[in-house]
Amino acid sequence: MASSPNSVRIVVIGEKGTGKSSLIVAAAADSFPPNVPPVLPDTRLPFQFYPDGIPVTLVDTSSRPEDKGMVAEELKLAHAVVLTYDCDRPETLEALSTYWLPELRLLEVKVPIIVAGCKLDLRDDNNPVVLEELMAPMMNQFREIETCIECSALKQLQAQEVFYYAQKTVLHPTAPLFDQDTQALKPRCVRALKRIFILCDHDKDGTLSEAELNAFQVKCFHAPLQPAEVEGVKSVVKDKLPEGVNEVGLTLTGFLFLHALFIEKGRLETTWTVLRKYGYNNDIKLADELLPPSLFKREPDQSVELTDVAIQFLKEKYMLFDADGDNNLKPEEIEDLFSTAPESPWKEAPYEDAAEKTALGGLSSDAFLSMWSLMTLLEPARSVEYLIYIGFKGDTSAAIRFTRRRLLDRKKKQCERKVLQCFVFGPNSAGKSALLNCFLGRSYDDNSGSTTDERYAVNMVDEPGSAKKTLVMREIPADGAHGILSSKESLAACDIAVFVYDSSDKSSWKRASELLVQVANHGEATGYEVPCLMVSAKDDIVPSQISIEESTRVTQDMGIEPPVSISSKLGDFNNLFRNIVTAAQRPHLSIPATEAGKSRKRYNRLINRSLVGVSIGAATVVVGLAAYRVYAARKSASA
């Protein structure tokens, strides 16, 4: 559950006769019911019982086998489950492990479970039971059990507490914050609290002073700490963890220790209040309200780029974390940068290995900014989210900008984008993967071979007389072209398409030319036409004569530039990447002409000629008529 619900629905299940209905009535009416129906209607608990002010609805269920499907439907809507047994009937306790808990797993119920022992008043006092010892084996086997409690509806003993704990597990869950096995805060919780600590440490001295602690307290709990309370907090931390405080105040270690202490003592609401005040949801990620989808709404042929403000912020962050100033952000420094985010965003596809690495395995400043540009292009909401995690302040809309639609770019015959995306098509073994690897500065000998997966490569390309452009190359697997072109808007995000073929293999050229035609037809049919460029790879091998002749004829016939010859093995790219950027910035040129398009142009020319002929003929008739009228008038006058 990503966000805290506005109401809590608790479903009560268990063996027949374990006291489900009586427990619900006792909690709701604060009295024991002499007679209750087999199954109660949904019951709303009194509002004043719960300090969070969140309405709680209790759902009674039938234990009859024929009602099993109905119970399963109720469980799908549950925020929490109370599972009952009869303290005076051991077989009902055993049934929890043998039937009920396995059944909940089978139904994939992923909500907190409270085990409630009912009818505590019937247990024999001569046989005392230690609840922790009784329940330990079951709780070890079924980790989804949040807590166990025994109660008596008849004696009004802990009946309301059962549902208080159930509500608490929903609104202030333990699982996202604390690892019960290691008895430690979970990594994501630590990262969130570290970010909060840094935000509160206004003078950036690594310590929360009394003034900073008070500001934090007022923001989260609307009341300052008294001097004696501040000293009390510091004293508790110092006794257990001396490095948690210093002469100035509370260190990060001490701040984390305090929250672990709150959780161990059952005061999870304290930590959750802090997290939610700083915008976190139940997954300990920024809540959707901070990043509404409307912020990123755009047309399919618009892209998203970082603003100059965001780029400057990232440059400053790079300098801060590149401690030795060697223009090499090491892997551990990147991890430190993202230590206030839920996790590092670049450890998985499509970002892993998408940028050029330094000789030491790190990222240069250009590569670092390129990675952010790639994430902003592909996942703008995630990019803004991570900017906030690492310290970007102010209006989130100031971090990104929408580019002009490509349709307008074509009309204006220029592109103002700073980040350009190139789709790389081609058959298997044409050299696509080698091309992307060399684009990232990797030598041909270091290439790991071709891949059948879609991948991205991003780097900056120098342009004479202008600022660098960021080029994103997206490799389309040989069998992935059909899937790409099955969507109407598939080419909307593409600024230029490149078609790579093995110059020594005529079948490779044939397939590349077929892909060119498919892309051209798709672009014309959908209105998302793109500049195209053919790339003759493996120029170090003797080329196929048929490929040379055919490629020249086809490119001329379709009105695009002749193929660019390259050799990844020799490192000869013939200014290919600069040519790609140049072509992408001229969106009205290098668009391949299809047979249908050429036919339409011929038809339009024919119609235009006809219209011109009709116009000339009409003009001649008008002139002739005017001349006749003049002649007739003169003749009449002379008569």
Side-chain angles (χ1 to χ4, degrees), residues 197 206-208 213 230-255 257-258:
F197 180 92
T207 306
L208 295 186
L213 271 174
V230 174
E231 290 305 316
V233 168
K234 291 163 65 175
S235 178
V236 168
V237 174
K238 188 174 182 179
D239 287 345
K240 300 288 186 180
L241 196 71
E243 64 269 29
V245 294
N246 59 27
E247 63 277 3
V248 177
L250 195 67
T251 65
L252 173 60
T253 305
F255 187 72
F257 169 78
L258 271 180

Side-chain angles (χ1 to χ4, degrees), residues 45 67 71 87 138 211 237 342 367 406 573:
L45 284 178
D67 294 330
V71 174
C87 292
M138 184 188 300
V237 174
R406 285 184 57 250
F573 294 100

Side-chain angles (χ1 to χ4, degrees), residues 275-349:
L275 290 170
R276 287 174 181 148
K277 186 61 70 172
Y278 282 87
Y280 288 93
N281 60 21
N282 280 16
D283 293 328
I284 316 189
K285 298 182 71 176
L286 289 180
D288 294 340
E289 297 79 45
L290 295 178
L291 300 164
S294 59
L295 181 64
F296 307 99
K297 189 175 181 180
R298 59 196 182 280
E299 295 297 328
D301 58 346
Q302 286 182 290
S303 61
V304 186
E305 298 179 355
L306 293 168
T307 61
D308 291 342
V309 172
I311 291 172
Q312 184 58 37
F313 166 79
L314 289 170
K315 286 180 177 178
E316 291 171 2
K317 279 291 176 182
Y318 185 92
M319 293 172 63
L320 179 64
F321 283 86
D322 181 22
D324 50 10
D326 62 348
N327 196 33
N328 172 47
L329 203 62
K330 304 177 184 66
E332 57 270 22
E333 291 172 332
I334 296 173
E335 186 60 40
D336 192 23
L337 169 70
F338 288 119
S339 65
T340 52
E343 52 270 323
S344 175
W346 298 342
K347 287 187 173 181
E348 56 187 28

Side-chain angles (χ1 to χ4, degrees), residues 407-454:
L407 180 65
L408 293 176
D409 283 346
R410 287 203 302 276
K411 288 181 178 179
K412 292 183 178 292
K413 299 182 179 181
Q414 63 175 356
C415 172
E416 298 175 344
R417 301 184 180 194
K418 298 177 182 178
V419 181
L420 302 163
Q421 183 169 193
C422 170
F423 285 15
V424 183
F425 294 93
N428 285 326
S429 303
K432 301 187 300 296
S433 298
L435 175 64
L436 264 67
N437 286 333
C438 292
F439 178 55
L440 298 179
R442 298 168 192 168
S443 70
Y444 182 81
D445 294 334
D446 292 336
N447 288 338
S448 56
S450 62
T451 177
T452 57
D453 299 325
E454 181 174 287

Side-chain angles (χ1 to χ4, degrees), residues 256-273:
L256 296 174
F257 169 78
L258 271 180
H259 283 280
L261 191 62
F262 292 145
I263 294 168
E264 287 176 10
K265 291 184 177 295
R267 293 174 55 189
L268 287 93
E269 64 274 11
T270 301
T271 300
W272 275 118
T273 298

